[in-house]
Amino acid sequence: KQARAEEERARAEYAAAAASLEQARLNLEYTRVEAPISGRVRRALVTEGAFANQNEFTHLTTIEQIDPIYVRFSQPASQYSSLRRAVVSGLWKGVPLGEIKVRLLLSNGEEYPHSGRIIFSDMAVGPNTDTIEMRALFPNPDQELLPGAYVRVVFDRAVRDNVFVIPRDAVIRTAQGASVFVVGPEGVLEARPVRADTLNGREWLVSEGLRDGDRVAVSHTMSLRPGMKVRSAAARPQPHAQQ
C-alpha cells in the first residue's frame, strides 16, 4: 500500500510539473509578438518592460505593408454605373470587367511608373457623397509610395469603335430625337437622325446614324433646312477636340 501511495504521489507531482512547464512555455510565448503580415514597422508605442494588459487590447505598434501597397479612392456612382453597363454590353473594348487597370499621378504631377488593378469595389453607395469606395493594388518595389500619401487615380481609357465626335452645336435635338445635317454629293442638305447619348465636353459622341466620309454641317445649323444647297468647307479643328 505504501509503495502504491508513493507511486500515485509521484504521478501527481509529475503532472503538476508538466502543467508548470506548459504554463512557463505559454508565458514565454506572451513575450513574443509575431506579425501576421510582412512590411515596415513604425515607431513602438509601448516601451520594453512595460506591462501589456491581457484583458484589454494594447496597441504596440503599426506595421505598414509597402510592397504591394493598397490605394483607396472613391468613384462617382454615375460614372461607375455607366462604365459597368458599357463593359457588360460590349460597347467599350479594352477594359475587361474585374481587371480594370488604373494608373497613379503623384503629388508632383509625375506619373507613377507601375500600373495597378482594381481588386475591390464596395456594393453600396455612400449616401452623403454619392460615391462608391474602391481599392486598387499597386506594386511598390522602390518604396516610392508611402502610407498616408495622397495621389490621383487615373483609369486607362477604353477603345470605343464606330463612334464619331462632332461639335455640340451640330446636333439638333427635338422631341422626336437627335439629328444632324449631312451634305450630300450635290451639296444638298439631308436631315439624318442619329444617336448621340454621350456629351464629352463640347462634343457629342454619335454611335449611330453616321458613316465614314459623311460631311456634317457644324455651323449655322438653326438657319439650315433639308433640301438647301450649300457649299461646304473644312471646319477649323478645336484645341480640345478628341478623336
Side-chain angles (χ1 to χ4, degrees), residues 14-34:
Y14 176 82
S20 299
L21 178 61
E22 185 62 26
Q23 183 64 40
R25 289 176 178 174
L26 184 60
N27 292 336
L28 180 61
E29 292 181 0
Y30 288 152
T31 63
R32 294 177 53 86
V33 179
E34 297 184 0

Side-chain angles (χ1 to χ4, degrees), residues 177-198:
S179 62
V180 297
F181 284 111
V182 177
V183 182
E186 302 297 330
V188 178
L189 290 179
E190 171 193 349
R192 180 85 59 79
V194 296
R195 181 175 181 179
D197 298 332
T198 304

Side-chain angles (χ1 to χ4, degrees), residues 86-190:
V87 172
V88 172
S89 63
L91 185 58
W92 291 82
K93 299 180 180 180
V95 185
L97 190 62
E99 298 181 5
I100 301 177
K101 300 294 184 180
V102 291
R103 295 177 289 111
L104 288 182
L105 295 180
L106 304 177
S107 57
N108 58 1
E110 297 181 358
E111 182 174 344
Y112 184 64
H114 305 284
S115 62
R117 59 186 178 89
I118 301 296
I119 62 172
F120 170 77
S121 176
D122 203 348
M123 300 301 296
V125 178
N128 298 326
T129 60
D130 194 30
T131 58
I132 297 177
E133 294 290 334
M134 306 182 72
R135 185 166 66 174
L137 185 66
F138 283 84
N140 192 27
D142 301 326
Q143 299 187 6
E144 185 175 359
L145 300 178
L146 297 178
Y150 285 90
V151 293
R152 293 182 60 188
V153 178
V154 180
F155 283 81
D156 284 346
R157 289 189 176 184
V159 178
R160 192 174 182 181
D161 295 333
N162 302 321
V163 173
F164 297 86
V165 180
I166 63 176
R168 180 182 61 184
D169 296 339
V171 178
I172 303 173
R173 307 192 72 90
T174 63
Q176 289 73 31
S179 62
V180 297
F181 284 111
V182 177
V183 182
E186 302 297 330
V188 178
L189 290 179
E190 171 193 349

Side-chain angles (χ1 to χ4, degrees), residues 203-223:
E203 291 88 23
W204 280 106
L205 302 184
V206 178
S207 57
E208 295 180 9
L210 293 179
R211 300 182 298 269
D212 291 340
D214 284 341
R215 294 179 295 171
V216 178
V218 298
S219 61
H220 307 289
T221 54
M222 299 305 297
S223 60

